[in-house]
Amino acid sequence: MYTSFRSAELLAEAIATCLLPIHAALLAGALATTTAIFLSRHHLRRGVRASARRVALTGTLVILCSAALFAAVAAALEDGSALLRFDHALAIALRSTQSADTLHGYARLTRFGDTETLTVLAVVGAMFLAWRRQHLLAATWVVAIGGNSLLNVTLKSLFERVRPLHDHGFAAESSWSFPSGHSSGTVAGWGVLAYVALRLLPARWHLPALLCAVAIALSTALSRVVLQVHFASDVLAGLCSGTAWLTLCIATSELLRRRSWPAQGPPGAHDFGRN
């Protein structure tokens, strides 16, 4: 037990010491992966519409994988587990190593996932889409952001995990910790914004929109760990639940849209399934 705890401490100390390079490396890897997937999809499926069956299968696969990872993280949080030891070791290491300037910077990043930010995003986006008569997109927008919030509150009440100690003054939270609402909220909120951009904007804006959403979601999620208002496993679980919910909303929207297509195919030039 002592050896495993010491290993968790050493790993946590290494992460805390190299925090900014690790953040940069994770961000670069996520953006590179997103770009590769986008470009490969564009090359392989140029001019081909995604069928309803393909949308359903892809959506189901993403949801199942996200739910499975969420369940694995939740199951690993038993007393004395390696994940639990690492969670606490990382929180302690960050508390003892991070400067006020670093905490202040991450406190600014975390605002992308604040309830106030996501509420404004939900209301303004829904009003704009309704004004544009994009009623299905408006409904998808509201359900993605609002539904994720309700899901997160429900999950928190089921697990009732206490947050790590955070008395530095740059952030303060009192609700339950698992899963992270900021992490799931940024995935749902900024992810649905990227989806709408894919649907409505010219093709040259599609990749930048996706990259911005990924960068915001990942940086906000990491900020919650750095600010010690969440354990690392809370954030991972939040990313999983947010991804599953966003995928469900987008897949449902795409399937409903396909049901409304006339026999000759979808109108408009900016079709989500043929980039």
Side-chain angles (χ1 to χ4, degrees), residues 4 13 28 42 70 147 164 197 206 274:
S4 59
E13 289 172 3
H42 178 85
F70 179 95
H206 291 182
R274 46 170 204 164

Side-chain angles (χ1 to χ4, degrees), residues 15-21 23 93-110 168-171 219 222-228:
I15 292 174
T17 303
C18 303
L19 176 64
L20 294 181
H23 185 168
L94 289 169
R95 187 160 61 246
S96 62
T97 58
Q98 300 310 301
S99 67
D101 288 339
T102 298
L103 294 174
H104 181 68
Y106 278 95
R108 289 181 176 273
L109 278 178
T110 209
H168 45 66
F170 291 97
S219 296
L222 290 174
S223 75
R224 306 306 284 171
V225 181
V226 177
L227 292 170
Q228 305 135 51

Side-chain angles (χ1 to χ4, degrees), residues 208-270:
L210 286 172
L211 295 179
C212 284
V214 170
I216 289 173
L218 180 59
S219 296
T220 303
L222 290 174
S223 75
R224 306 306 284 171
V225 181
V226 177
L227 292 170
Q228 305 135 51
V229 291
H230 278 293
F231 294 108
S233 57
D234 299 335
V235 165
L236 179 56
L239 292 174
C240 290
S241 64
T243 299
W245 182 256
L246 176 65
T247 302
L248 176 62
C249 293
I250 291 176
T252 302
S253 179
E254 285 296 304
L255 292 174
L256 290 174
R257 187 164 69 102
R258 279 157 175 74
R259 289 185 59 183
S260 67
W261 284 352
Q264 65 270 25
H270 309 307

Side-chain angles (χ1 to χ4, degrees), residues 21-173:
I22 289 174
H23 185 168
L26 289 174
L27 186 58
L31 296 180
T33 301
T34 301
T35 301
I37 293 173
F38 178 87
L39 294 178
S40 63
R41 176 180 173 272
H42 178 85
H43 175 72
L44 293 175
R45 301 190 55 204
R46 184 177 300 167
V48 179
R49 299 188 191 103
S51 66
R53 182 177 180 181
R54 184 181 295 274
V55 170
L57 288 175
T58 303
T60 300
L61 179 62
V62 173
I63 291 169
L64 290 177
C65 289
S66 300
L69 182 54
F70 179 95
V73 172
L77 294 179
E78 58 185 15
D79 289 340
S81 69
L83 181 58
L84 197 63
R85 291 194 297 271
F86 172 74
D87 271 346
H88 286 279
L90 181 59
I92 293 171
L94 289 169
R95 187 160 61 246
S96 62
T97 58
Q98 300 310 301
S99 67
D101 288 339
T102 298
L103 294 174
H104 181 68
Y106 278 95
R108 289 181 176 273
L109 278 178
T110 209
R111 291 176 184 170
F112 281 110
D114 284 354
T115 299
E116 297 80 4
T117 302
L118 295 177
T119 299
V120 171
L121 184 66
V123 172
V124 173
M127 291 176 62
F128 172 76
L129 291 170
W131 174 70
R132 288 283 305 272
R133 300 185 182 275
Q134 296 286 346
H135 301 302
L136 179 57
L137 283 180
T140 303
W141 185 284
V142 171
V143 172
I145 299 176
N148 176 78
S149 179
L150 293 175
L151 174 63
N152 184 257
V153 170
T154 301
L155 291 172
K156 284 180 184 292
S157 65
L158 288 175
F159 290 96
E160 295 188 346
R161 187 185 193 187
V162 177
R163 293 178 185 268
L165 175 65
H166 54 284
D167 54 2
H168 45 66
F170 291 97
E173 299 286 353

Side-chain angles (χ1 to χ4, degrees), residues 5 25 39 71 74 164 182:
F5 183 75
L39 294 178
H182 275 65

